[in-house]
Amino acid sequence: MQGVGFRPWAVRQALQLGLGGFAGNDRTGLVIEIEGEQQALEAFGRRLRSAPPPLAIVVDVEVVTIEPTGSPGFAIKASAPGEGPAVAVPADVATCDACFAEIRDPAARRFRYPFTNCTNCGPRYTIIRSLPYDRAATTMAGFPLCGDCAREYADPADRRFHAEPIACPACGPTLTWEGHGQQGEAALTEAVACLVGGGVVAVKGVGGYHLAVLGDDDDAVGRLRLRKARDDKPFAVMAASLADAEDLVVLDADARAALVSSRRPIVIAPRRRGVAIAGGVAPGLPDLGVLLPYSPLHHLLLEGVGHPLVLTSGNRAQEPIACDVVGSRRQLAGLADGFLHHDRPIEVRCDDAIIRAVGGRVQVVRRSRGFAPEPIRLPVKGSTKVLAVGAELKNTVAIAAGGTAVTSHHLGDIEHPAAYAAFEQAIVQLQALTGVEPEIVAHDLHPEYLSTKWAVDSDRPTIGVQHHHAHVASCLVDHGRSAPVLGIAFDGLGFGSDGTLWGGELLVADLHGFRRVGHLRPVPLPGGAAAIHEPWRMALAWVALAVGQEAAEALGPSLDHRWQAVLSLAASPTTQHTTSGGRLFDAVAALAGLRHTTTYEGQAAAELEAAARSVLDDRHGRQAQADWVGDPPLSSAWVLDPSPLVADALAGRLAGQPAGAIAAAFHEGLGAGLSVAALALARREGVDAIALTGGVFQNAVLTSIVAEAVRAAGLEVLVHRHVPCNDGGISIGQAAIAVATSGRSVPGW
Ligand code: ZN
Ligand code: ZN
Ligand code: FE
């Protein structure tokens, strides 16, 4: 791994121990040669294992004995570009405590300097143009070091010894406030004044622009929503300190550790009641996304305004975040009241990462800044070099070679032309940074995904990977497991091997193949894509199927005036059917009266989970019924028909039950039934672990119910931790399967 401060660390140790030699980066990684007294050499080895630089994780040390050269002293050798296997590119690192202390110290040279960093912190992935990692290969190349910075950079005793992005007020990047072009402190003052006055400010950060407003100003948050045309999708809030964050949300030890880690992700956690945050920040949800300052600029802004700030990606819907002055003006004109730019170029745009810490579990749901492009070990060895292009929504791409994979930052929905361009750019960047020339391209089976089309047009051999198989594989990678599991893969929609739309699947799978051993009963998707944004259509389709036409006709008028058209669509033999678990959640959310139409993906399911939690949090002991699943078939696929759950939800609605009660009963019934089915199938198929995967398993309530039942039955349960269970994890699953099968087509068992 380069960029974690190993070269300067080696120099310091060598000086202390009186050793000669050198440390240097090349394409293969870090190379250290040392010579000297035996005892000193051994001490160096011990320190390498026990006290490496703070950002480094030493996995293994291999010592090779060579002839001493007799050269006195120890040096950092200039980096030599060259051929060789992939080297790990470091992720961005949040500002360290020493640097934060420095910008608060009026006597320090970098007092209040927004681009302060050192060997242990600062931007990496977002500024690297090529490898090896040296200043000349970063976007800091255009900032020649001043005399003071040059001295620090060359001094082994200094914290900034060989800190590649080193900068100071004399030689580094500067802030600019658009308008009268105020710079530095004056620019900051303008930005703070604009925020305090309720304005929306576009702030150039580490991985792109954010739009910022005061987090406790209802009007300002409302304006931001209106201008961004973002009705309900929750915003994240940056708090000045851990203590301030804990005033807003309830954090357990793991969530706290994630929040303060040098990755500095957004952590979604249960919101405290009555906190001083505008209602429009996360409407309809009991949770709040919080994050801490990860650059000096954030710290200065928060200190200036004295309130938490809403920080949301600086983009227009569906476009990638703006990352330069021109792009920010084009995208954010009309959205922002002011622009706070700086002149450190962003090479790779990178959204904030997101971790969900609800229900006692910490799950990465968006692996982006701070994580990308850190390598992930694959539980399979293979020599095939693979490019995996992911799915369509929440997309990421991955490159795998030699037992590890590297995934890109979050690319989002790649349908918009600008987002598609970013997808293509990410592929080029990832290949350049890893030095891997892919031999095959792994893609989803969906013929209409732009990523699939890209793969087919790539003129390389391709391998199609079934969507839910990729989900299960991503969970296997997360747990370093290669043995087969029974995977419960529940999500919105994914293309099935039979050409129909899947999404409520039980698969026996490993990285080599899968067999569909169970699935939800197929239900019409009346209106196709429209049914995804209009849960009331799914409610009608499910009620017609589960309870009957009469019940659906009685329900229709209370849902939508177009109910008759939708009922005839549902009855039409040409209407597509789906086994989607996500759509079942949509249907029940609409039945519970929570939501008839959605404004963002997963909204109805998130609100149904929230309603269930409001009841289940104060209730102990479950009396859920699992008998709706019936008995397992001897060998064929088990069709799980949740009709009784839908009928119960309808009955609850007609009886005037509160949404929470309907939601809780549905979660308990579905969870109990799924557990029974999965355990029976695991026994039938002779596997000892059950993997919970797909976007539906961001749901903490459903996850807890199934996980508890599986553990109680003595089987292992695999829940996503580091790899997203949503489509952000698809590329890593595809990559692992392609490596395991060496690119040969995936056999159905
Ligand atoms: Zn630092
Ligand atoms: Zn300087
Ligand atoms: Fe999916």
Side-chain angles (χ1 to χ4, degrees):
M1 174 76 82
Q2 297 178 1
V4 294
F6 243 121
R7 291 177 301 172
W9 176 91
V11 173
R12 253 175 249 130
Q13 307 309 317
L15 284 178
Q16 286 171 14
L17 296 166
L19 293 166
F22 71 85
N25 282 340
D26 68 13
R27 234 348 312 164
T28 66
L30 172 80
V31 179
I32 301 175
E33 276 189 30
I34 45 167
E35 59 186 85
E37 295 298 325
Q38 183 69 27
Q39 273 190 338
L41 291 173
E42 284 168 5
F44 187 92
R46 276 196 302 277
R47 291 184 188 183
L48 187 57
R49 290 183 182 87
S50 64
L55 293 176
I57 297 164
V58 176
V59 177
D60 201 6
V61 178
E62 195 179 338
V63 180
V64 179
T65 306
I66 52 175
E67 270 308 297
T69 64
S71 76
F74 191 93
I76 289 187
K77 258 202 353 195
S79 300
E83 290 302 303
V87 65
V89 182
D92 295 276
V93 184
T95 306
C96 72
D97 290 344
C99 285
F100 271 135
E102 214 172 332
I103 63 165
R104 291 189 195 105
D105 174 7
R109 203 158 72 78
R110 292 183 178 81
F111 178 54
R112 297 181 61 79
Y113 181 58
F115 305 95
T116 302
N117 65 75
C118 73
T119 312
N120 299 326
C121 75
R124 302 284 193 273
Y125 179 54
T126 52
I127 61 165
I128 293 178
R129 294 194 160 125
S130 65
L131 285 177
Y133 173 58
D134 276 319
R135 188 180 184 89
T138 71
T139 63
M140 288 300 290
F143 297 92
L145 296 185
C146 69
D148 288 332
C149 284
R151 256 191 304 284
E152 292 167 343
Y153 184 87
D155 177 3
D158 196 279
R159 198 168 92 248
R160 295 195 170 83
F161 181 45
H162 273 265
E164 303 303 341
I166 184 175
C168 80
C171 67
T174 5
L175 294 174
T176 306
W177 178 253
E178 181 150 336
H180 298 290
Q182 293 91 332
Q183 298 219 309
E185 278 295 333
L188 195 65
T189 307
E190 293 290 335
V192 167
C194 185
L195 286 167
V196 170
V200 178
V201 176
V203 181
K204 186 178 179 185
V206 173
Y209 280 77
H210 278 123
L211 289 169
V213 293
L214 289 185
D216 48 6
D217 182 335
D218 285 296
D219 293 340
V221 173
R223 259 194 304 281
L224 177 59
R225 282 216 177 274
L226 200 66
R227 292 184 194 169
K228 241 197 141 187
R230 177 157 151 159
D231 296 332
D232 306 298
K233 196 173 178 187
F235 290 135
V237 172
M238 184 177 273
S241 66
L242 175 62
D244 286 1
E246 294 207 77
D247 284 344
L248 301 175
V249 291
V250 181
L251 301 171
D252 61 20
D254 289 345
R256 205 174 292 124
L259 185 70
V260 303
S261 78
S262 63
R263 302 176 190 277
R264 292 287 155 100
I266 295 167
V267 174
I268 299 172
R271 171 207 313 233
R272 287 188 197 282
R273 276 175 226 274
V275 294
I277 285 294
V281 169
L285 296 174
D287 305 321
L288 186 65
V290 293
L291 78 167
L292 296 179
Y294 55 86
S295 80
L297 179 55
H298 295 147
H299 167 77
L300 295 169
L301 280 172
L302 281 161
E303 187 192 63
V305 300
H307 297 262
L309 283 176
V310 162
L311 278 190
T312 185
S313 304
N315 63 339
R316 284 194 188 271
Q318 310 306 324
E319 289 191 58
I321 44 170
C323 65
D324 57 27
V325 173
V326 175
S328 70
R329 284 189 189 128
R330 183 186 60 75
Q331 274 206 61
L332 307 177
L335 270 66
D337 299 306
F339 289 80
L340 186 60
H341 303 293
H342 64 69
D343 56 352
R344 183 175 73 204
I346 295 171
E347 182 65 15
V348 180
R349 57 160 69 84
C350 207
D351 286 276
D352 294 322
I354 304 177
I355 281 179
R356 191 156 199 254
V358 174
R361 223 169 251 111
V362 171
Q363 279 189 321
V364 175
V365 294
R366 185 204 274 172
R367 212 172 170 278
S368 206
R369 180 197 44 77
F371 291 85
E374 204 172 89
I376 300 171
R377 286 194 168 199
L378 298 177
V380 59
K381 290 262 184 293
S383 55
T384 315
K385 298 187 178 100
V386 176
L387 166 66
V389 293
E392 179 110 326
L393 299 172
K394 299 188 183 219
N395 197 40
T396 58
V397 296
I399 279 191
T404 57
V406 171
T407 56
S408 71
H409 51 289
H410 166 79
L411 298 167
D413 179 353
I414 59 169
E415 250 174 326
H416 188 283
Y420 183 76
F423 158 81
E424 290 197 299
Q425 192 190 4
I427 292 172
V428 171
Q429 279 165 340
L430 213 52
Q431 281 177 226
L433 289 183
T434 58
V436 172
E437 187 58 47
E439 295 156 347
I440 56 166
V441 181
H443 61 83
D444 198 272
L445 292 183
H446 202 306
E448 294 305 316
Y449 281 177
L450 293 176
S451 55
T452 305
K453 291 179 173 174
W454 186 93
V456 170
D457 292 343
S458 71
D459 287 333
R460 291 200 183 94
T462 57
I463 172 175
V465 177
Q466 200 280 321
H467 187 88
H468 304 95
H469 184 203
H471 271 309
V472 178
S474 74
C475 192
L476 289 170
V477 170
D478 199 334
H479 288 267
R481 182 182 165 113
S482 53
V485 290
L486 190 287
I488 309 180
F490 268 49
D491 66 356
L493 294 170
F495 205 77
S497 316
D498 58 2
T500 69
L501 293 172
W502 294 5
E505 311 306 311
L506 278 74
L507 311 175
V508 187
D510 63 11
L511 297 178
H512 295 273
F514 76 97
R515 192 153 45 84
R516 192 187 194 200
V517 292
H519 55 80
L520 287 179
R521 178 180 178 187
V523 60
L525 194 62
I532 297 171
H533 309 292
E534 298 180 18
W536 69 269
R537 291 173 182 253
M538 293 314 301
L540 213 48
W542 260 117
V543 167
L545 192 73
V547 192
Q549 195 67 18
E550 242 173 76
E553 282 168 13
L555 173 72
S558 71
L559 290 174
D560 193 278
H561 66 276
R562 294 161 294 170
W563 65 273
Q564 277 164 312
V566 165
L567 261 187
S568 22
L569 267 178
S572 159
T574 57
T575 292
Q576 261 191 318
H577 281 53
T578 180
T579 55
S580 168
R583 299 288 85 81
L584 175 62
F585 273 80
D586 283 358
V588 176
L591 285 178
L594 286 167
R595 179 156 293 281
H596 289 174
T597 60
T598 60
T599 66
Y600 64 91
E601 198 235 337
Q603 183 179 17
E607 290 174 1
L608 192 67
E609 179 196 358
R613 269 164 56 195
S614 70
V615 171
L616 293 174
D617 280 356
D618 330 302
R619 189 159 110 199
H620 297 283
R622 302 201 167 97
Q623 339 72 350
Q625 287 162 22
D627 47 358
W628 62 270
V629 293
D631 295 318
L634 281 181
S635 59
S636 57
W638 192 348
V639 180
L640 304 171
D641 183 359
S643 288
L645 303 177
V646 174
D648 284 352
L650 177 65
R653 177 194 182 95
L654 297 176
Q657 271 185 23
I662 296 173
F666 170 71
H667 276 81
E668 291 189 313
L670 182 69
L674 277 183
S675 314
V676 166
L679 286 166
L681 287 169
R683 270 182 226 112
R684 188 183 91 182
E685 304 293 332
V687 299
D688 60 359
I690 291 174
L692 311 183
T693 190
V696 168
F697 280 101
Q698 276 174 225
N699 185 315
V701 175
L702 184 71
T703 302
S704 295
I705 293 172
V706 180
E708 273 174 37
V710 172
R711 275 196 210 100
L715 269 68
E716 190 186 350
V717 61
L718 309 182
V719 175
H720 280 261
R721 304 167 300 188
H722 311 299
V723 176
C725 66
N726 57 47
D727 283 7
I730 287 290
S731 66
I732 189 100
Q734 292 171 340
I737 290 167
V739 169
T741 57
S742 312
R744 287 185 302 273
S745 66
V746 184
W749 287 1

